[in-house]
Amino acid sequence: MQIQKQNQSRKSCRIYKPMIKAVIFDMDGIIIDSEPCYIEHLIQIFAHFGITVTKDELISIAGGTRKHYNAAINPRIENIVSREEFDAYTNQYYLENPVPYCQIVFPHLVEILEWIKSKGYRIALASSSYQYEIAQVLDETQLHEYFEFILSGDMFKEAKPNPDIYLTCIDKLGLSADECIAIEDSEYGISAAKGANLTCIAREDKRFGYNQTQADYLIQDLMDIKDILEKLI
């Protein structure tokens, strides 16, 4: 078990220890280890059109928004295939090669969700993914029951790192920022959480070049959330 507490000077300025009442989870990179699957699928989709790309060239889409996805796609398909044809094949490819969500749930996720629920914390999900994608993941993994409500990226004009999704989540919970904690991984998600004045726990991930220095805590295993919450009681 390894928990790294960051930004200690900022933490020491607090004159009281907040009573955490709710835990807000991101999805991709926290609930499911989906980014490697998305990147590998995209490599195969490009290959269908005779376009060669590497994993390193597509790292920018990990944890990103539709804007980052478009920036990775459009320059590479220009003068080769229309975006409409590319998107149509992408949809067909995913139908024929679905992401095995049940196989990529992070270790100890269910255990930590059960523990959080047993201690009376409220649990919400705030993800930049589309509503239908979140619903598909939660349906296939049978995790719906753990979340009081779900907020998706397509509910907002701007996705993470804009903090709106977290500000709305806090408001919907009827709590203050000090009473909530966010579980994130990507630089965009961490920035959104901190922009909403949330304490942020980040699952450490060095595969995609994320800058995770804004997070208050870095963990390597989701069960480490338990130790942090117990210290914040």
Side-chain angles (χ1 to χ4, degrees), residues 12-13 18 54 86 89 99 104 106 121 127 142 149 166 216 222:
S12 63
C13 293
T54 66
F86 185 89
Y89 179 75
V99 176
I104 60 172
F106 273 101
Y121 294 102
S127 168
Q142 298 184 344
F149 61 85
Y166 277 119
D216 298 288
L222 292 178

Side-chain angles (χ1 to χ4, degrees), residues 1-18:
M1 179 189 302
Q2 183 175 353
I3 300 173
Q4 181 179 344
K5 186 176 181 180
Q6 305 193 132
N7 305 322
Q8 293 196 16
S9 61
R10 184 173 71 231
K11 285 285 184 181
S12 63
C13 293
R14 290 187 171 180
I15 61 175
Y16 70 99
K17 188 158 52 175

Side-chain angles (χ1 to χ4, degrees), residues 63 161 185-192 209-212 214:
D185 64 316
S186 74
E187 181 176 350
Y188 307 116
I190 295 167
S191 293
Y210 294 150
N211 180 351
Q212 298 181 308
Q214 274 194 292

Side-chain angles (χ1 to χ4, degrees), residues 151 156-170 192 196:
L151 296 180
F156 301 87
K157 289 184 178 179
E158 292 187 49
K160 301 172 186 178
N162 186 293
D164 281 355
I165 190 169
Y166 277 119
L167 292 171
T168 300
C169 194
I170 295 166

Side-chain angles (χ1 to χ4, degrees), residues 31-147:
I31 290 175
I32 52 171
D33 191 16
S34 51
E35 300 295 356
C37 295
Y38 296 152
I39 289 174
E40 185 57 40
H41 276 27
L42 194 50
I43 289 172
Q44 297 303 319
I45 292 164
F46 274 124
H48 173 79
F49 296 104
I51 304 168
T52 301
V53 294
T54 66
K55 291 181 181 179
D56 288 343
E57 291 176 292
L58 298 178
I59 277 180
S60 63
I61 70 171
T65 63
R66 179 60 57 171
K67 179 180 178 180
H68 299 99
Y69 178 80
N70 291 338
I73 301 298
N74 293 340
R76 291 177 170 86
I77 67 173
E78 190 174 6
N79 300 322
I80 298 175
V81 59
S82 70
R83 183 58 192 266
E84 290 76 15
E85 185 178 349
F86 185 89
D87 288 347
Y89 179 75
T90 297
N91 292 336
Q92 183 61 35
Y93 182 89
Y94 271 90
L95 286 174
E96 297 173 357
N97 303 274
V99 176
Y101 295 123
C102 288
Q103 298 176 28
I104 60 172
V105 172
F106 273 101
H108 305 137
L109 173 72
V110 173
E111 289 94 326
I112 192 60
L113 286 171
E114 286 283 1
W115 183 86
I116 292 171
K117 185 177 179 181
S118 73
K119 295 301 179 179
Y121 294 102
R122 298 166 68 186
I123 310 174
L125 190 151
S127 168
S128 290
S129 294
Y130 288 115
Q131 280 182 277
Y132 77 88
E133 293 171 330
I134 297 171
Q136 184 176 1
V137 170
L138 297 184
D139 283 346
E140 292 189 21
T141 58
Q142 298 184 344
L143 294 172
H144 263 296
E145 65 179 285
Y146 293 103
F147 301 100

